[in-house]
């Protein structure tokens, strides 16, 4: 990678003892490690018990522009001051009120342009709740139901098989259950993910290009290179040709299900998926900075994505030559969007508005509430997964009303360190933004929700 030539800045050692950046990256990054933190694993699970002390105070102060999140602000300032990241920011708002933005740093380490509410961030798996809510619009219109068999929309899924020994073989038996829209929304369809799946099925996913996500134009050392991702119709056929890792509805397993759901939405609505999102969500909510492909005209406000290796930030996707400037194989409903803090905050505000924002309703209150509720299949196995002790809704984790699973919360995170959630009980929303991979390099994503709540409790 041309941009890794900055590594010789690490001095004070003979050349023979100098760190090899490629070796460091190989050791620290793999496709699986790079993206596996996309699930916002600890965002809400470790949030402290709640107090009501300062919600009203914070809401009033936010309206007047007074800083009300000192712990979160200090954390963001610390990351940027220590050069752990080029930039970091948060957006927190109450109800439909304008949010308070906390931003530090620049678009890139070699840029003088400060990040703000209109800077563009790779939000990766924060795309999933957007896709989930798009499906809920069709549920609202009666074009889908949660229990619509996927095969009713995509006939190639009519006769699925289930692996008998996923770790060692592709041997499979006929599935007993039909895959449904509910299963796709909640990662219980039995599908795999080449960032999670292991064994022979992983090899098949890579061989067939079932890898709906992008990181860099460059070939990163230590990364398997899947075959090119095909068009969405061929993608669907290839996925259907392979066995499932579990019976539909039996187990929670992070997967490509939201990418496949994008095609279900397309076929059920008769509108290309990317256009559906634009006309039914982005345009009505005035989300003018949310893209599957960043237009050349907007590249000047795009952040650079980095891999932190020791004290050095390596640009794995420079904004000026980003893979997101190219058209993807299809709009990846699971991890494909780039967005701004302002735009995603408007999406969150719509969720707080139970399907409406600024007088514009994109779905009914009933269906929006359903999408943010626990719709996991009865009896599904979640033990040992990212959602153990949690619920799951239309593409995001749902709080169940316990100290580690706060009632009214719905959200998810992204592979480059982003995080976002709404709290429907306390009436606020919060989004955190950074650009580094893997997301678990630093604890920011996991601590984001904790810091927000601690600030609301007065520290």
């Amino acid at each position: 990678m041309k941009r890794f030539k900055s590594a010789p800045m690490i001095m004070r050692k003979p050349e023979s003892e100098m760190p090899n950046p490629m070796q460091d990256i190989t050791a620290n990054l793999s496709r699986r490690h790079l993206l596996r933190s996309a699930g916002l694993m600890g965002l809400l699970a470790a949030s402290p018990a709640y107090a009501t002390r300062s919600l009203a105070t914070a809401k009033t102060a936010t309206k007047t522009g007074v800083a009300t999140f000192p712990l979160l602000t200090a954390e963001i300032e610390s990351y940027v001051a220590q050069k752990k990241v080029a930039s970091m920011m948060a957006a927190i708002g109450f109800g439909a009120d304008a949010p308070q933005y906390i931003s530090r740093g620049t678009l890139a380490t070699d840029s003088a342009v400060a990040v703000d509410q209109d800077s563009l961030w790779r939000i990766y798996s924060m795309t999933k709740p957007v896709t989930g809510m798009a499906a809920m619009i069709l549920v609202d219109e009666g074009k889908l139901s949660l229990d619509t068999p996927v095969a009713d929309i995509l006939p190639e899924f009519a006769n699925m098989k289930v692996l008998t020994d996923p770790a060692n073989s592709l041997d499979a038996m006929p599935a007993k259950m039909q895959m449904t829209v509910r299963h796709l929304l909640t990662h219980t369809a039995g599908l795999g993910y080449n960032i999670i799946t292991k064994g022979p099925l992983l090899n098949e996913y890579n061989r067939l290009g079932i890898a709906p996500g992008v990181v860099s134009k460059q070939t990163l050392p230590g990364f398997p290179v899947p075959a090119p991702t095909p068009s969405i119709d061929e993608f669907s056929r290839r996925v259907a040709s392979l066995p499932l890792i579990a019976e539909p509805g039996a187990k929670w397993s992070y997967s490509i299900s939201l990418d496949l759901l994008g095609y279900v939405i397309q076929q059920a609505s008769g509108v290309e998926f990317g256009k559906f999102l634009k006309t039914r969500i982005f345009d009505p909510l005035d989300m003018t900075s949310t893209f599957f492909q960043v237009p050349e005209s907007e590249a000047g406000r795009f952040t650079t994505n980095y891999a932190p290796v020791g004290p050095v930030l390596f640009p794995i996707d420079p904004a000026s030559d980003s893979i997101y400037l190219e058209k993807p194989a299809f709009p990846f409903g699971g991890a494909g969007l780039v967005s701004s803090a302002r735009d995603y905050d408007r999406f969150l505000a719509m969720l707080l508005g139970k399907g409406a924002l600024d007088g514009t309703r994109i779905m009914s209150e009933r269906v929006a509430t359903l999408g943010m509720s626990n719709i996991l299949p009865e009896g599904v196995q979640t033990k040992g997964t990212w959602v153990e002790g949690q619920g799951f809704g239309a593409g995001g984790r749902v709080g169940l009303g316990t100290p580690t699973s706060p009632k009214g919360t719905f959200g998810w995170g992204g592979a480059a360190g982003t995080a976002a959630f709404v709290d429907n009980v306390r009436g606020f929303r919060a989004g955190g933004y950074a650009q580094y991979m893997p997301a678990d390099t630093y604890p920011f994503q996991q601590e984001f929700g904790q810091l927000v709540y601690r600030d609301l409790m007065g520290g």
Side-chain angles (χ1 to χ4, degrees), residues 33-40 122-126 195 215 254 305 335 413-418 434-440 445:
H33 185 214
L34 196 71
L35 297 177
R36 69 185 179 192
S37 300
L40 190 57
R122 299 155 191 80
I123 62 171
Y124 282 107
S125 286
M126 277 165 51
I195 59 174
V215 174
Y254 205 44
N305 196 17
T418 58
Q435 297 286 261
Y436 62 88
M437 290 177 135
D440 59 0
Q445 188 182 71

Side-chain angles (χ1 to χ4, degrees), residues 65-399:
V66 176
T68 57
F69 300 93
L71 296 176
L72 179 59
T73 300
E75 184 84 345
I76 289 172
E77 289 178 344
S78 174
Y79 270 92
V80 175
Q82 295 180 47
K83 301 187 185 303
K84 291 182 176 180
V85 294
S87 55
M88 188 173 279
M89 71 176 298
I92 305 167
F94 293 84
D97 293 343
Q100 178 178 135
Y101 295 106
I102 305 164
S103 60
R104 300 291 187 274
T106 55
L107 294 173
T109 56
D110 58 354
S111 171
V113 179
V115 294
D116 60 20
Q117 64 266 29
D118 294 315
S119 300
L120 299 177
W121 312 81
R122 299 155 191 80
I123 62 171
Y124 282 107
S125 286
M126 277 165 51
T127 305
K128 289 178 168 71
V130 177
T131 300
M133 289 300 164
M136 298 309 293
I137 291 174
L138 295 184
V139 170
D140 208 14
E141 295 176 348
K143 294 179 180 178
L144 292 175
S145 74
L146 293 184
D147 298 314
T148 296
V150 172
D152 285 3
I153 311 297
L154 308 177
E156 56 263 39
F157 286 88
N159 299 298
M160 298 302 292
K161 294 184 177 181
V162 180
L163 291 171
T164 56
D165 184 10
N168 299 298
S169 170
L170 288 174
D171 293 344
M173 297 180 62
K176 299 174 184 177
M177 297 287 293
Q178 282 285 313
M179 182 189 302
T180 68
V181 169
R182 180 190 304 270
H183 297 146
L184 294 182
L185 286 166
T186 59
H187 297 292
T188 58
L191 297 171
Y193 219 161
N194 80 334
I195 59 174
I196 298 293
T197 299
K198 300 177 181 178
L201 186 60
L202 170 62
N203 295 333
E204 289 301 287
Y205 269 51
N206 286 332
R207 182 180 70 84
L208 295 176
I210 302 174
V214 295
V215 174
S216 175
K217 287 183 178 180
Q218 308 297 327
T219 299
L220 301 178
F223 280 54
V225 181
T229 304
S231 62
I232 185 59
D233 55 340
E234 179 61 20
F235 175 86
S236 178
R237 286 190 287 270
R238 292 182 187 184
V239 171
S241 74
L242 296 175
L244 304 173
I245 60 173
E247 193 73 37
K251 180 180 180 181
W252 192 92
S253 182
Y254 205 44
S255 71
I256 59 168
S257 63
L258 276 296
D259 298 285
L260 184 63
L261 184 61
Y263 190 41
V264 170
I265 292 167
Q266 178 170 308
Q267 294 301 94
S269 68
V271 180
E272 187 269 337
F273 176 57
K275 184 177 180 181
F276 184 92
L277 291 186
K278 187 175 189 305
T279 58
R280 302 301 301 273
I281 297 180
F282 302 158
D283 287 350
L285 296 181
D286 192 28
M287 294 172 62
T288 58
S289 299
T290 302
F291 314 104
F292 285 105
Q293 178 184 8
V294 176
E296 288 282 353
S297 61
E298 308 305 317
R301 55 190 175 109
F302 195 15
T303 53
T304 286
N305 196 17
Y306 292 92
V309 181
V312 179
L313 290 174
F314 289 99
I316 55 175
D317 190 42
S320 61
D321 192 33
S322 173
I323 195 167
Y324 280 94
L325 298 176
E326 299 183 348
K327 186 176 181 179
F330 58 87
F332 300 142
L337 285 174
V338 167
S339 190
S340 67
R342 173 195 173 277
D343 267 25
Y344 207 83
D345 178 74
R346 291 189 65 77
F347 173 71
L348 297 176
M350 178 276 293
L351 296 181
L352 274 186
K354 305 298 196 315
L357 179 64
D358 296 341
T360 298
R361 180 163 291 281
I362 67 169
M363 71 182 83
S364 70
E365 181 173 341
R366 177 187 66 84
V367 166
T369 300
L370 177 63
M372 292 184 281
S373 68
N374 182 26
I375 58 173
L376 283 171
E378 186 175 353
V380 66
Q381 178 187 335
T382 61
K383 186 175 177 60
T385 73
W386 296 348
V387 297
E388 181 176 357
Q390 314 283 321
F392 210 85
R397 179 186 278 112
V398 171

Side-chain angles (χ1 to χ4, degrees), residues 391-454:
F392 210 85
R397 179 186 278 112
V398 171
L400 296 179
T402 70
T404 58
S405 181
K407 184 178 180 180
T409 52
F410 172 82
W412 204 236
T418 58
F421 67 97
V422 295
D423 185 326
N424 284 297
V425 170
R426 296 154 196 87
F428 75 93
R429 72 233 187 230
Y433 302 89
Q435 297 286 261
Y436 62 88
M437 290 177 135
D440 59 0
T441 301
Y442 305 130
F444 173 73
Q445 188 182 71
Q446 295 188 0
E447 292 177 350
F448 176 69
Q450 301 172 43
L451 290 168
V452 171
Y453 281 109
R454 285 178 61 193

